[in-house]
Amino acid sequence: SQQGEEDPQALSIQEGENATMNCSYKTSINNLQWYRQNSGRGLVHLILIRSNEREKHSGRLRVTLDTSKKSSSLLITASRAADTASYFCATDPNTGGFKTIFGAGTRLFVKA
Amino acid sequence: ETGVTQSPTHLIKTRGQQVTLRCSSQSGHNTVSWYQQALGQGPQFIFQYYREEENGRGNFPPRFSGLQFPNYSSELNVNALELDDSALYLCASSWGTSGIQETQYFGPGTRLLVL
């Protein structure tokens, strides 16, 4: 089963609104990353947050990490139609050996 | 553009055949990972190579195998293809120096259809 679970599965908002996506995971991690994917193409890296960090910002993106709750959130502020995509969280479990685990993703649709 | 390239972009095979997919890593990266992504799903980790050695594997059968070459390019080989192998195959390169996965840069993927 997948380690990361995104919530909601789908989200539809108006341009200019904020979009919040959540990710939960099961085991302790070294870091957590968020990726974006447009229409079945390759994934684009957005932010990496390490297990000892609580919040990171990049432009209109804000990511939080709560290791006690094993959860993370991605906030996109002032959304644009171009933000329409699938968003995935990916965890690097702290279990030895390299193994990145992706969730099923949140499909975001931003209406112009 | 990430600098990671994959070939071919699309491929059609029949059940039982074998396929080889190729990936060129981003310059300076020594680690490559392969993922399988079924339609509407998140990517599933197949395996990772670090300096030409496999150092992590997901829940995929042995008919999925790989290679990493001295120039850090990579191949994914799948034998005895099954219908369920139809998917988008993604490779990702990164710089690894420790036991922690760093930022991965993905290629555009190879879409495989098995008939």
Side-chain angles (χ1 to χ4, degrees):
Chain A
S1 64
Q2 292 181 318
Q3 155 101 313
E5 296 291 337
E6 285 93 341
D7 168 56
Q9 291 185 333
L11 182 60
S12 180
I13 59 175
Q14 291 291 140
E15 210 168 27
E17 294 181 337
N18 295 343
T20 299
M21 289 160 267
N22 303 297
C23 169
S24 60
Y25 55 92
K26 298 174 183 173
T27 65
S28 62
I29 60 172
N30 294 311
N31 62 51
L32 183 146
Q33 303 182 50
W34 284 90
Y35 290 86
R36 184 185 76 220
Q37 185 177 40
N38 290 25
S39 301
R41 293 184 167 182
L43 280 75
V44 174
H45 179 259
L46 298 176
I47 288 184
L48 181 153
I49 186 165
R50 302 191 188 280
S51 59
N52 61 352
E53 297 175 310
R54 291 298 166 258
E55 187 171 313
K56 285 191 84 168
H57 295 255
S58 176
R60 294 184 296 112
L61 308 180
R62 172 178 166 251
V63 167
T64 61
L65 179 64
D66 187 335
T67 53
S68 67
K69 294 181 179 178
K70 292 186 171 60
S71 67
S72 173
S73 68
L74 169 66
L75 169 66
I76 304 174
T77 60
S79 62
R80 306 165 181 168
D83 295 328
T84 295
S86 292
Y87 292 82
F88 296 92
C89 70
T91 55
D92 172 24
N94 187 17
T95 54
F98 285 105
K99 188 173 182 180
T100 303
I101 303 178
F102 281 80
T106 292
R107 281 135 192 89
L108 173 66
F109 181 64
V110 181
K111 293 177 281 188
Chain B
E1 294 294 325
T2 63
V4 179
T5 61
Q6 291 185 244
S7 63
T9 55
H10 295 82
L11 199 54
I12 300 175
K13 292 285 190 177
T14 56
R15 268 186 307 176
Q17 284 189 313
Q18 178 266 344
V19 68
T20 297
L21 310 182
R22 295 180 174 83
C23 172
S24 290
S25 299
Q26 183 165 311
S27 178
H29 286 177
N30 59 7
T31 303
V32 66
S33 301
W34 284 92
Y35 295 86
Q36 179 194 67
Q37 186 178 25
L39 201 61
Q41 302 295 317
Q44 297 287 308
F45 177 79
I46 303 176
F47 44 56
Q48 182 180 82
Y49 280 81
Y50 170 67
R51 293 186 174 180
E52 303 177 57
E53 299 274 338
E54 183 181 298
N55 72 335
R57 189 177 182 93
N59 296 325
F60 281 80
R63 59 189 185 84
F64 285 78
S65 63
L67 283 173
Q68 186 183 31
F69 300 101
N71 65 356
Y72 300 133
S73 64
S74 177
E75 285 182 357
L76 164 65
N77 299 289
V78 186
N79 294 321
L81 284 167
E82 301 176 0
L83 297 180
D84 285 348
D85 295 333
S86 295
L88 180 68
Y89 288 85
L90 297 161
C91 81
S93 73
S94 58
W95 171 253
T97 59
S98 66
I100 296 175
Q101 179 65 62
E102 298 295 337
T103 298
Q104 297 181 79
Y105 297 87
F106 281 80
T110 293
R111 190 163 296 281
L112 172 65
L113 177 62
V114 182
L115 301 175

